[in-house]
């Protein structure tokens, strides 16, 4: 297990007892959302969507750092489409994920190098490594 040497930020939320059918709010009020079960008729988001959004945002930050180290210019319209599947393994729940990375104008070999470096440094990638099935590809 990795123990942090220095904490840079702590995200704090409060989720109601409704869980997937409740609400979640951050301590600073910037996040204030309704939650709904995936695939339900509810009006809120779900944990899988939140995880996909957080991971893709973090991954873009890691790509920017990786590209800078390699002196590769990233396009302004770069994007990561994250897909997080909730499913079953036996009688227990589990996740799997795909990150589809768009780097228009960046040669494929350079894009794959940046993505590989980002996957090694992104905290979300580190958290999932060895725990769930993950596929990352250039699109």
């Amino acid at each position: 297990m990795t123990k942090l040497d220095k904490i840079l930020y702590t995200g704090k939320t409060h989720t109601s007892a409704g869980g997937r059918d409740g609400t979640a709010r951050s301590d600073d009020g910037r996040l204030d959302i309704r939650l709904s079960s995936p695939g339900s008729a509810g009006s809120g988001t779900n944990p899988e969507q939140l995880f996909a959004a957080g991971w893709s945002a973090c991954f873009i930050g890691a790509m920017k750092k990786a590209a800078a180290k390699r002196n590769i210019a990233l396009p302004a319209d770069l994007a990561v489409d994250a897909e997080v599947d909730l499913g079953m393994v036996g009688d227990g729940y589990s996740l799997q994920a795909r990150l589809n990375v768009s780097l228009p104008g960046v040669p494929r070999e350079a894009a794959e190098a940046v993505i590989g470096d980002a996957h090694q440094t992104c905290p979300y990638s580190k958290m999932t490594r060895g725990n769930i099935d993950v596929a990352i590809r250039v699109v």
Side-chain angles (χ1 to χ4, degrees):
M1 179 184 342
T2 302
K3 184 88 167 151
L4 295 177
D5 293 330
K6 179 181 178 184
I7 295 173
L8 303 174
Y9 175 77
T10 300
K12 297 178 184 179
T13 62
H14 175 80
T15 302
S16 71
R20 287 181 176 270
D21 294 308
T23 61
R25 180 176 165 81
S26 63
D27 65 329
D28 63 6
R30 291 182 180 180
L31 177 74
D32 190 357
I33 57 171
R34 295 182 55 136
L35 300 167
S36 298
S37 293
S40 73
S43 61
T45 188
N46 59 65
E48 291 72 27
Q49 290 172 329
L50 293 168
F51 183 63
W55 191 0
S56 57
C58 186
F59 199 82
I60 287 173
M63 286 192 313
K64 288 179 178 180
K65 289 190 178 291
K69 284 184 181 179
R70 290 179 173 270
N71 293 316
I72 296 171
L74 294 181
D77 58 346
L78 71 89
V80 175
D81 292 316
E83 301 172 349
V84 175
D85 301 320
L86 172 65
M88 302 293 293
V89 176
D91 58 356
Y93 293 100
S94 192
L95 301 174
Q96 66 182 21
R98 291 166 304 287
L99 299 181
N100 298 304
V101 181
S102 173
L103 294 169
V106 177
R108 185 168 202 85
E109 187 174 299
E112 288 176 350
V114 167
I115 289 167
D117 290 352
H119 189 48
Q120 293 304 309
T121 60
C122 173
Y124 283 74
S125 292
K126 288 179 180 181
M127 179 179 61
T128 60
R129 190 172 296 113
N131 294 311
I132 66 170
D133 184 40
V134 173
I136 301 176
R137 66 184 183 110
V138 177
V139 294

